[in-house]
Amino acid sequence: MTDSPATAEEREGTTVTAPSGQLTEIIASALGPAAEAARAQWPDDTDEIQAITDAMVRLLTGVPLRSDGQLTIKSLAEEAGLRRNKLTHKHTGLKDLFYALVRAQNIRPKDTERLQRERDELAEALKKARRERNELREEVKRLVRIIHVLEVENDQLKATSSTRKGSTVHVLPQRSAPSAPQP
């Protein structure tokens, strides 16, 4: 399995559509010498190294086959069909290379963009809700002042009407809610 990463992609029946035409070439040129050096150092791990480098190319170009497409070691291991500890303990150089390539791309994964968009929408909705809450608080304060003024005026009217004999203002007893009409 000494195919280049692009050849491995074609062999698997997928087409690589890179965000820029040269991205695949840049990644392959970075991974090619690294994979060859690793093969010379660990001839028994050739299949693992090839799987990791192929998975790197698929993830970095945005065409994952077996993972969620996030640019993480977990997704890289899943994409390569290996356990994560193979990358974190055994092939640490490939892990470091993957992280360096991710940083060099200077792009945000699709999930991050979607989450940022959702966050912005939620932040805007929160601002609107806070504005409405503040408006309602002010309205409640205004209504409380009005009710207080009306209670004071009502008490004053009761006091003046009870002291005057023959007054035209009469205090009526409290009424209960009207009962439903009977058929």
Side-chain angles (χ1 to χ4, degrees):
M1 273 184 98
T2 59
D3 297 345
S4 69
T7 308
E9 293 291 333
E10 292 166 0
R11 185 182 64 250
E12 291 179 20
T14 61
T15 56
V16 176
T17 55
S20 69
Q22 297 177 346
L23 182 60
T24 305
E25 294 173 21
I26 293 169
I27 294 169
S29 68
L31 291 178
E36 290 302 321
R39 281 188 199 98
Q41 193 173 10
W42 298 294
D44 296 338
D45 297 334
T46 304
D47 291 340
E48 287 180 0
I49 293 168
Q50 186 64 43
I52 293 169
T53 55
D54 290 349
M56 281 186 196
V57 170
R58 287 193 300 271
L59 285 176
L60 292 170
T61 56
V63 287
L65 296 177
R66 301 181 197 114
S67 70
D68 57 7
Q70 293 183 12
L71 300 177
T72 62
I73 289 299
K74 179 182 177 250
S75 294
L76 178 61
E78 190 176 321
E79 187 69 26
L82 301 172
R83 293 189 349 206
R84 189 174 60 89
N85 71 344
K86 293 283 187 177
L87 288 163
T88 58
H89 294 77
K90 188 174 184 180
H91 300 292
T92 56
L94 290 172
K95 174 191 72 159
D96 295 340
L97 178 62
F98 178 69
Y99 279 143
L101 288 170
V102 168
R103 281 190 301 274
Q105 272 191 320
N106 198 19
I107 61 169
R108 294 165 65 175
K110 294 175 187 172
D111 284 346
T112 305
E113 291 173 9
R114 178 185 55 81
L115 291 173
Q116 182 65 37
R117 204 171 35 253
E118 286 179 12
R119 183 202 163 284
D120 293 343
E121 290 170 1
L122 290 172
E124 192 59 39
L126 181 61
K127 282 182 187 178
K128 181 181 177 187
R130 285 180 176 162
R131 233 177 307 151
E132 289 176 3
R133 178 202 60 197
N134 292 339
E135 289 171 3
L136 289 173
R137 281 182 177 170
E138 291 302 316
E139 181 70 14
V140 165
K141 287 178 185 177
R142 190 177 67 78
L143 291 173
V144 165
R145 285 192 302 269
I146 290 171
I147 290 171
H148 179 70
V149 168
L150 290 173
E151 285 178 344
V152 168
E153 288 177 355
N154 192 22
D155 288 341
Q156 288 173 347
L157 283 173
K158 284 180 185 178
T160 58
S161 68
S162 65
T163 57
R164 282 196 233 163
K165 302 233 184 213
S167 167
T168 57
V169 176
H170 300 285
V171 177
L172 299 175
Q174 292 277 339
R175 287 192 326 181
S176 61
S179 60
Q182 296 178 357

